[in-house]
């Protein structure tokens, strides 16, 4: 029997609440790290996927909940990935135009917190929420909900408690355009006692077989080490082989074929379901500003960013003929997002769920660093690769009776 991880007592004291939890990328990362979590999600299809994956879920609108609600009283880690469509380059851009407006709301929320703390009267949260509800796209205002949760935890006792219990650690994740919002978050979080770290990360530098950039904000009460969340893999550069770019002892980035072959070796995928030949993914999107110049990635490279429209991408053989091949399956696209091959996608528009999700492997790295756990090793990645939904107590009883 192997010894327990040296940080087992440390991870045992954490309990995570995940706002806008989606189909479960960050919750799955928490499960792999043996950290209890509960996710709030309002999309019925994502909820169906979460329930099939046996992830603890509170269906509903984040705006209708707070840290004082029953079920969240033990949560001392707050995470969240608010809807990103209005901030995304691929979206309408209304969120980017509203960045100045959102910045103003952040500082009004801080002023609300300081007045509440001092027992003074003035603009309260309900006043602010009414104005947020008037924005052209309500999703833009949702990026402020984690800040409301943070301030409410600092102002009011949790369910059954006698004193406020601030979150020990905060982990927020969004598209790169939101880094400006996270920097404004940093300003007010530092004023109320948190140390913060915000940066745009490349997920292929953490073993995800996909080039995907994510803006991450981590806040906690301790200082951050200089090597906080250091990359474990090289950054992908078109036309540059990993060995040519080797530096700092980092591993080569992981290609699509590497990721699929790892699954084939370890998970027992039937031969008929395997993608045997080299292939090329031809993007539905233009490249370099030319809508006719479709982006291309061969299977010996990482996938391009998996968006909610990935099913529109063509798959052709990686040879001169470019023979049309079967398009990606949910399982394959999920693997490129670093989900287990048999993750139980459910409901409608599963492609959108996959494209919107946090890559679990990246989530493992972020949570391990944010919670000051040991760096994840091969045992953690093996656990993620072979993951299956946990059995419920009812299932365990049924299995015992049928044995």
């Amino acid at each position: 029997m192997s010894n327990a991880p040296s940080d087992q007592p440390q991870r045992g004291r954490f309990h995570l609440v995940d706002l806008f939890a989606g189909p479960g990328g960050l919750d799955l990362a928490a499960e792999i790290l043996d950290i209890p979590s509960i996710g709030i999600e309002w999309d019925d299809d994502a909820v169906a996927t979460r329930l099939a994956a046996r992830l603890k879920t509170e269906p509903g609108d984040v705006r209708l909940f707070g840290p004082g609600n029953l079920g969240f009283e033990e949560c001392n880690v707050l995470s969240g990935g608010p809807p990103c469509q209005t901030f995304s380059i691929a979206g309408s851009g209304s969120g980017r135009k509203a960045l100045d407006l959102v910045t103003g709301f952040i500082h009004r929320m801080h002023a609300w917190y300081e007045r509440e703390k001092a027992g003074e009267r003035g603009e309260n949260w309900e006043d602010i929420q009414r104005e947020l509800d008037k924005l052209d796209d309500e999703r833009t205002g949702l990026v402020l909900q984690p800040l409301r949760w943070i301030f409410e935890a600092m102002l009011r006792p949790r369910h059954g408690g006698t004193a406020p219990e601030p979150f020990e650690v905060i982990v927020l994740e969004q598209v790169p355009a939101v880094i400006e919002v996270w920097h404004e978050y940093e300003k007010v979080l530092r004023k109320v006692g948190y140390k913060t770290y915000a940066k745009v990360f490349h997920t292929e530098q953490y073993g995800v077989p996909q080039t995907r950039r994510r803006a991450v904000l981590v806040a906690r009460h301790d200082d951050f080490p200089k090597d906080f969340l250091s990359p474990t893999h090289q950054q992908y550069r078109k036309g540059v082989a990993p060995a040519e770019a080797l530096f700092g002892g980092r591993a080569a980035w992981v290609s699509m074929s590497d990721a699929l072959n790892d699954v084939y070796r370890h998970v027992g995928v039937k031969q008929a379901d395997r993608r045997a030949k080299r292939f090329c993914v031809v993007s539905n999107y233009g490249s370099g500003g030319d809508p006719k110049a479709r982006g291309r990635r061969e299977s010996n490279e990482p996938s391009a960013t998996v968006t909610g429209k990935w099913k529109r991408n063509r798959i052709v053989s990686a040879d001169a003929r470019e023979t049309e091949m079967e398009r990606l399956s949910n399982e394959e696209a999920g693997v490129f997002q670093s989900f287990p091959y048999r993750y139980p996608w459910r409901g409608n528009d599963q492609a959108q769920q996959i494209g919107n999700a946090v890559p679990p492997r990246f989530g493992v790295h972020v949570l391990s660093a944010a919670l000051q756990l040991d760096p994840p090793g091969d045992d953690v990645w093996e656990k993620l690769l072979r993951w299956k939904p946990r059995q419920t107590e009812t299932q365990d009883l049924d299995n015992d009776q049928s044995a």
Side-chain angles (χ1 to χ4, degrees), residues 243-275:
E244 297 175 24
L246 184 63
F247 64 96
R250 297 176 188 170
W253 39 256
V254 180
S255 70
M256 291 182 276
S257 59
D258 289 338
L260 290 176
N261 287 332
D262 209 18
V263 167
Y264 300 155
R265 284 195 300 269
H266 293 88
V267 184
V269 179
K270 295 179 181 178
Q271 193 69 37
D273 294 332
R274 299 186 180 193
R275 194 174 287 275

Side-chain angles (χ1 to χ4, degrees), residues 51-361:
L51 295 179
R54 305 287 187 262
L55 298 175
K56 191 173 182 181
T57 302
E58 182 66 57
D61 188 336
V62 165
R63 292 172 291 189
L64 302 179
F65 298 96
N69 288 117
L70 182 65
F72 307 128
E73 62 270 24
E74 295 182 5
C75 296
N76 56 3
V77 179
L78 176 74
S79 67
C84 68
Q85 290 89 340
T86 59
F87 292 91
S88 175
I89 293 172
S92 66
S94 61
R96 286 171 291 169
K97 296 174 185 176
L99 279 173
D100 288 342
L101 181 63
V102 169
T103 296
F105 275 113
I106 289 173
H107 293 281
R108 286 169 63 180
M109 291 173 71
H110 176 231
W112 154 66
Y113 162 76
E114 294 293 352
R115 281 194 299 271
E116 287 273 330
K117 183 180 177 183
E120 300 173 354
R121 299 184 65 179
E123 183 180 50
N124 58 32
W125 168 250
E126 288 72 20
D127 297 327
I128 296 172
Q129 183 62 65
R130 277 193 290 271
E131 287 199 40
L132 288 173
D133 291 340
K134 295 177 184 177
L135 295 179
D136 291 340
D137 192 322
E138 66 174 356
R139 295 174 299 183
T140 300
L142 291 176
V143 77
L144 301 173
Q145 285 298 316
L147 190 58
R148 174 180 69 84
W149 276 65
I150 293 166
F151 285 151
E152 287 192 356
M154 298 179 72
L155 288 169
R156 302 181 182 94
R158 303 287 186 93
H159 184 82
T162 58
E165 297 179 39
F167 290 105
E168 294 185 34
V169 181
I170 299 157
V171 178
L172 304 177
E173 181 264 3
Q174 253 277 17
V175 294
V178 182
I179 192 65
E180 296 178 56
V181 176
W182 292 161
H183 288 324
E184 292 301 322
Y185 259 63
E186 287 189 284
K187 293 176 184 178
V188 299
L189 290 178
R190 288 169 181 168
K191 290 178 181 178
V192 298
Y194 285 97
K195 306 292 178 63
T196 67
Y197 186 97
K199 183 179 176 181
V200 175
F201 293 90
H202 297 256
T203 61
E204 81 274 15
Q205 290 191 281
Y206 299 88
V208 179
Q210 173 195 177
T211 54
R212 186 184 191 95
R213 297 170 65 239
R214 305 304 290 178
V216 174
L217 166 65
V218 177
R220 64 187 194 200
H221 298 291
D222 298 328
D223 287 318
F224 291 85
K226 291 183 178 180
D227 61 348
F228 180 76
L229 206 48
S230 291
T232 56
H233 292 66
Q234 300 169 42
Q235 185 177 347
Y236 169 78
R237 300 184 187 281
K238 187 71 174 178
V240 179
E244 297 175 24
L246 184 63
F247 64 96
R250 297 176 188 170
W253 39 256
V254 180
S255 70
M256 291 182 276
S257 59
D258 289 338
L260 290 176
N261 287 332
D262 209 18
V263 167
Y264 300 155
R265 284 195 300 269
H266 293 88
V267 184
V269 179
K270 295 179 181 178
Q271 193 69 37
D273 294 332
R274 299 186 180 193
R275 194 174 287 275
K277 296 181 180 179
R278 282 185 57 194
F279 59 90
C280 178
V281 181
V282 183
S283 174
N284 180 59
Y285 296 105
S287 178
D290 182 358
K292 295 182 180 179
R294 303 299 185 185
R296 302 168 69 89
R297 290 285 177 88
E298 293 199 10
S299 52
N300 61 355
E301 300 173 288
S303 168
T305 302
V306 177
T307 72
K309 307 299 182 185
W310 58 264
K311 278 191 177 291
R312 299 181 182 179
N313 296 341
R314 294 169 53 225
I315 309 296
V316 299
S317 59
D319 55 32
R321 292 186 177 185
E322 294 201 349
T323 305
E324 291 288 335
M325 302 174 68
E326 187 175 352
R327 299 203 176 191
L328 292 177
S329 65
N330 285 350
E331 290 81 7
E332 290 170 322
V335 167
F336 299 159
Q337 275 276 57
S338 74
F339 277 86
Y341 183 78
R342 292 192 177 89
Y343 197 71
W345 305 104
R346 295 290 189 271
N348 298 317
D349 206 353
Q350 295 174 15
Q352 190 71 48
Q353 291 185 52
I354 295 170
N356 287 347
V358 177
R361 183 174 179 122

Side-chain angles (χ1 to χ4, degrees), residues 8-31:
Q8 191 66 42
Q10 169 84 345
R11 72 179 68 199
R13 70 183 184 86
F14 293 118
H15 196 133
L16 182 146
V17 55
D18 188 16
L19 312 183
F20 313 101
L26 199 61
D27 300 77
L28 178 57
E31 181 178 315

